[in-house]
Amino acid sequence: MIAGKKVGVIIPAAGTGKRMGGGVSKQFFEVAGKPIIIRTLEHFQSSPDIDNIILASDKENMKPINNLINVYNLTKVSSVVEGGVERQDSVWNCLQEIEKYNADLVLIHDAVRPFISQKLIHAVLIAANEDGAAIAAVRPKDTIKQSSVAGYAENTLAREQLWIAQTPQTFQFPIIKRAFEMARIEGYYGTDDANLVERIGMRIRIVDGSYDNLKITSPEDIELAQIIARRFVTESI
């Protein structure tokens, strides 16, 4: 636990997952016998660091999500709020709700990253408690090229300075609230939550993530997720 701190989790799960096809929202696809959203939520349910969870859903899926929460006895899910048009809008709606629970630290995590470890949850929380903001990230394995507008390679980027951002992204509550408020005032939509915090001049600590911390967005990802699930043992990561 983070001594003297209340920790809330925000899970934006209002996406429709058009790339998955099949007419089913991607968070409901099953991996090794469980819906992705449940696999994700269970890691936070079992974490001693977490006090409560706020989840955003589109209106159509609110009832099935609430049903799953009850079936799997996810007692730390305090509220399911209606999501917005964009992911950023959904997180904003969750921030309004989580403020009622007096969270000191807020951890924001993609609904479709079901292989988050207890070790990584704790690490980003410790880092955000110390520095105000922290994200999980991994280094790219491939060489990264920068191209011209015309599509020709112009530069090879130094991999030692590059990171692929993941979630969880974790912040002291006043910092993330101010960042979202500023973005709303200016009509700015960022690529991730950390992007909004960068815009208000905050430094963000990078915590080593995991290549297993997969974001499931396509049918090919489901195949890989089935493989990860077979060897994913909480105690070992």
Side-chain angles (χ1 to χ4, degrees):
M1 298 177 68
I2 311 300
K5 302 294 182 181
K6 291 196 71 174
V7 178
V9 177
I10 287 174
I11 307 285
T16 57
K18 293 178 182 177
R19 279 179 285 179
M20 294 296 289
V24 178
S25 296
K26 57 188 175 183
Q27 59 266 27
F28 295 114
F29 275 77
E30 289 197 355
V31 170
K34 282 186 183 178
I36 293 168
I37 184 63
I38 294 303
R39 286 193 168 276
T40 299
L41 289 170
E42 283 182 332
H43 294 298
F44 297 106
Q45 173 73 27
S46 61
S47 169
D49 292 321
I50 304 304
D51 294 294
N52 70 297
I53 303 164
I54 308 297
L55 191 144
S57 170
D58 63 300
K59 196 170 184 178
E60 182 179 314
N61 285 324
M62 273 190 154
K63 186 175 180 179
I65 279 184
N66 275 303
N67 287 342
L68 285 171
I69 288 166
N70 290 329
V71 167
Y72 285 92
N73 195 31
L74 298 172
T75 57
K76 289 186 180 180
V77 179
S78 303
S79 301
V80 179
V81 304
E82 189 170 342
V85 176
E86 302 290 342
R87 180 188 183 278
Q88 188 170 312
D89 301 317
S90 295
V91 174
W92 171 254
N93 292 349
C94 290
L95 282 170
Q96 308 314 296
E97 183 69 15
I98 212 164
E99 190 168 15
K100 300 175 186 177
Y101 297 91
N102 301 311
D104 299 298
L105 294 165
V106 176
L107 187 153
I108 305 171
H109 187 67
D110 296 325
V112 289
R113 285 190 193 269
F115 302 114
I116 174 68
S117 69
Q118 299 296 312
K119 180 180 177 182
L120 184 52
I121 290 170
H122 188 71
V124 292
L125 283 169
I126 290 293
N129 189 46
E130 293 174 350
D131 286 353
I135 65 169
V138 292
R139 293 195 182 275
K141 295 180 180 181
D142 299 320
T143 297
I144 307 297
K145 298 288 186 179
Q146 184 176 21
S147 73
S148 65
V149 175
Y152 293 93
E154 287 194 334
N155 192 24
T156 300
L157 303 181
R159 277 189 295 185
E160 61 269 19
Q161 294 179 307
L162 297 177
W163 293 86
I164 300 169
Q166 299 182 330
T167 64
Q169 302 193 348
T170 308
F171 313 92
Q172 293 175 11
F173 180 77
I175 292 171
I176 192 64
K177 184 182 178 185
R178 180 158 58 94
F180 267 76
E181 286 174 339
M182 187 62 67
R184 287 178 69 82
I185 290 169
E186 297 174 355
Y188 178 82
Y189 280 82
T191 54
D192 65 358
D193 308 297
N195 180 212
L196 306 189
V197 173
E198 291 163 359
R199 294 181 74 250
I200 63 169
M202 285 292 302
R203 291 196 309 171
I204 297 169
R205 192 196 293 188
I206 295 174
V207 174
D208 281 321
S210 167
Y211 294 104
D212 278 351
N213 188 18
L214 172 72
K215 184 177 182 181
I216 300 173
T217 59
S218 69
E220 293 79 11
D221 295 332
I222 287 284
E223 294 177 17
L224 179 56
Q226 301 287 8
I227 296 169
I228 296 172
R230 285 198 290 269
R231 59 178 172 78
F232 190 85
V233 179
T234 303
E235 291 78 13
S236 69
I237 56 176

